[in-house]
């Protein structure tokens, strides 16, 4: 009974975008499921993945990686390399490597994951598209944009067709593609996609939801890269207010956002002191 309650509470806090509150319930749910059903059970694996996701949303990146590595090893041993849950875990682990700056490890793992997904599920399966998306963004992060953009365009079209334009996975694909467009100099297309994704998430999930904040961060970074410093500062300041209220002033996501606000303010101050000609 407690296991079911902890899972429900975790789901509720995830829906509300309160990652820090979610973590404690996910940790307890994992402990209970491993004790009752065994560490290699599918339910224990699900709870471990839910915990990893909560840790990521709460900005606890190192803990997130450790839990994912444990999850992938457990799933591989208990369920086999071609099981859907093992491959999903493999994809998330590749993302974690990328987020921690281990680009080569990420690309290597995700290329293997894409090949396995295509063999097991086929090219157009959503699980395959998820893995392709992970790989495409790792290409982008390692400077291989000529390989990333065509994959991201395919993913965005496929998700919109299958899931609809307002689905969270579709808006995630829009954000990824917009950022890739920005990297290759396709500014107007990047702004259009990123602004649309932010607007959709504001309407669907609320302006203070964690996923909306991610869209806000991506749009702010795009504005900053294009020299639209005032627009970027407005978004970052709004995001900082939300994160300080929801996550606290010392949360890693809050600290990163505050640093971005200080950087943008300094850039504007420096520009205002430049002599006019």
């Amino acid at each position: 009974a407690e296991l079911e309650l902890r899972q429900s509470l975790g789901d509720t806090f995830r829906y509300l975008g309160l990652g820090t509150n979610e973590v404690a319930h996910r940790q307890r749910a994992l402990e209970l499921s491993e004790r009752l059903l065994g560490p290699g059970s599918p339910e224990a694996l699900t709870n471990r993945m839910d915990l990893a996701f909560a840790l990521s949303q709460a900005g606890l990146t190192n803990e997130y990686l450790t839990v994912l590595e444990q999850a992938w090893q457990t799933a591989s041993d208990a369920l086999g390399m071609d099981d859907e849950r093992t491959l999903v875990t493999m994809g998330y682990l590749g993302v974690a490597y990328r987020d921690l700056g281990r680009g080569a490890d990420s690309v290597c793992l995700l290329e293997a994951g894409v090949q396995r997904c295509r063999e097991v599920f086929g090219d157009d399966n959503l699980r395959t598209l998820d893995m392709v998306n992970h790989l495409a963004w790792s290409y982008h992060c390692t400077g291989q944009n000529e390989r990333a953009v065509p994959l991201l365009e395919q993913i965005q079209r496929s998700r919109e067709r299958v899931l609809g334009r307002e689905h969270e996975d579709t808006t995630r694909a829009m954000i990824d593609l917009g950022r890739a467009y920005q990297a290759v100099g396709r500014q107007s297309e990047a702004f259009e996609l990123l602004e649309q994704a932010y607007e959709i998430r504001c309407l669907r999930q609320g302006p203070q939801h964690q996923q909306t904040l991610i869209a806000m961060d991506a749009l702010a970074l795009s504005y900053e890269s294009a020299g639209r410093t005032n627009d970027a500062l407005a978004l970052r300041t709004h995001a900082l207010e939300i994160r300080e209220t929801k996550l606290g002033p010392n949360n890693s996501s809050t600290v990163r956002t505050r640093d971005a606000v200080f950087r943008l303010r300094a850039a504007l101050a420096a520009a205002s002191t430049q002599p006019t000609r």
Side-chain angles (χ1 to χ4, degrees), residues 88-158:
V88 169
T89 308
M90 185 180 188
Y92 280 121
L93 180 57
V95 170
Y97 284 149
R98 181 185 70 215
D99 291 345
L100 287 175
R102 294 170 57 177
D105 291 335
S106 176
V107 167
C108 182
L109 187 65
L110 293 172
E111 285 179 337
V114 167
Q115 181 177 346
R116 283 187 175 273
C117 281
R118 284 174 171 161
E119 293 171 355
V120 174
F121 305 120
D123 290 343
D124 295 328
N125 183 274
L126 287 175
R127 291 299 185 196
T128 304
L129 290 174
D130 285 343
M131 191 72 78
V132 172
N133 184 73
H134 296 328
L135 175 60
W137 196 246
S138 289
Y139 282 151
H140 167 74
C141 292
T142 54
Q144 303 179 64
N145 285 298
E146 72 286 352
R147 304 177 74 178
V149 168
L151 291 179
L152 291 169
E153 288 174 332
Q154 173 198 346
I155 293 159
Q156 196 274 326
R157 289 193 301 267
S158 297

Side-chain angles (χ1 to χ4, degrees), residues 20 57-60 243 247-256 258:
T20 303
Q57 297 301 299
L60 302 171
R243 287 188 166 116
L247 302 176
N250 298 320
N251 179 271
S252 59
S253 296
T254 307
V255 172
R256 286 195 297 270
R258 187 182 300 115

Side-chain angles (χ1 to χ4, degrees), residues 7-154:
Q7 290 169 330
S8 296
L9 285 167
D11 291 342
T12 299
F13 283 120
R14 174 180 294 181
Y15 176 78
L16 294 172
L18 299 174
T20 303
N21 302 70
E22 182 186 352
V23 166
H25 297 290
R26 297 299 189 191
Q27 287 175 327
R28 180 60 177 160
L30 176 59
E31 292 169 4
L32 289 167
S33 61
E34 288 188 329
R35 183 191 307 168
L36 294 168
L37 304 168
S41 66
E43 185 162 4
L45 176 62
T46 297
N47 285 313
R48 188 176 294 278
M49 291 299 295
D50 286 340
L51 172 59
F53 182 81
L55 290 166
S56 174
Q57 297 301 299
L60 302 171
T61 309
N62 290 330
E63 293 89 339
Y64 167 52
L65 177 63
T66 298
V67 171
L68 278 180
E69 288 177 329
Q70 293 169 349
W72 187 45
Q73 186 62 56
T74 301
S76 300
D77 293 342
L79 304 173
M81 287 298 300
D82 290 339
D83 187 271
E84 179 177 356
R85 288 156 294 194
T86 303
L87 290 169
V88 169
T89 308
M90 185 180 188
Y92 280 121
L93 180 57
V95 170
Y97 284 149
R98 181 185 70 215
D99 291 345
L100 287 175
R102 294 170 57 177
D105 291 335
S106 176
V107 167
C108 182
L109 187 65
L110 293 172
E111 285 179 337
V114 167
Q115 181 177 346
R116 283 187 175 273
C117 281
R118 284 174 171 161
E119 293 171 355
V120 174
F121 305 120
D123 290 343
D124 295 328
N125 183 274
L126 287 175
R127 291 299 185 196
T128 304
L129 290 174
D130 285 343
M131 191 72 78
V132 172
N133 184 73
H134 296 328
L135 175 60
W137 196 246
S138 289
Y139 282 151
H140 167 74
C141 292
T142 54
Q144 303 179 64
N145 285 298
E146 72 286 352
R147 304 177 74 178
V149 168
L151 291 179
L152 291 169
E153 288 174 332
Q154 173 198 346

Side-chain angles (χ1 to χ4, degrees), residues 198 216 219-220 223 230-240 257:
Y198 175 51
M216 188 187 300
L219 181 57
Y223 284 155
N230 282 308
D231 292 331
L233 178 59
L235 283 176
R236 293 290 197 186
T237 301
H238 185 39
L240 178 60
T257 307

